[in-house]
Amino acid sequence: MHDAVVHAAGPMASALGSSEQVTQIMRAMEGIASRAGSPTTDSACRLLIVAGNALDALGDNPATLPDRDGIRLVLILAAGVIQARAP
């Protein structure tokens, strides 16, 4: 899962252009990746929410749909992993 989060934070997010929302997505995803070894459920969930909200705020540009959908899928999968690891 770590590699998918890193890819979403890098090449996939970069393909979305440059805006405050893209920066928020990248930082949140990087935060999730850096905490992969021992994330607290609370901080990981907050980062997932930040990334998801920023992704929703990007708008509906058809040219970025594949990357937005890929990032959304990584967020969903990461949420499942975080939930499975929660005590």
Side-chain angles (χ1 to χ4, degrees):
M1 190 75 240
H2 179 267
D3 290 342
V5 173
V6 169
H7 187 72
M12 292 173 83
S14 295
L16 301 176
S18 66
S19 68
E20 181 60 32
Q21 291 83 13
V22 172
T23 301
Q24 288 176 354
I25 292 167
M26 293 172 91
R27 286 185 180 159
M29 300 294 283
E30 289 166 355
I32 293 167
S34 70
R35 291 170 176 80
S38 60
T40 64
T41 303
D42 184 57
S43 64
C45 288
R46 288 177 193 269
L47 291 169
L48 288 171
I49 291 169
V50 168
N53 288 342
L55 191 59
D56 289 342
L58 283 176
D60 219 11
N61 180 352
T64 62
L65 182 61
D67 292 300
R68 287 185 289 123
D69 281 351
I71 292 170
R72 192 169 316 281
L73 177 60
V74 170
L75 291 173
I76 291 167
L77 294 172
V81 168
I82 291 164
Q83 182 179 7
R85 290 183 180 173

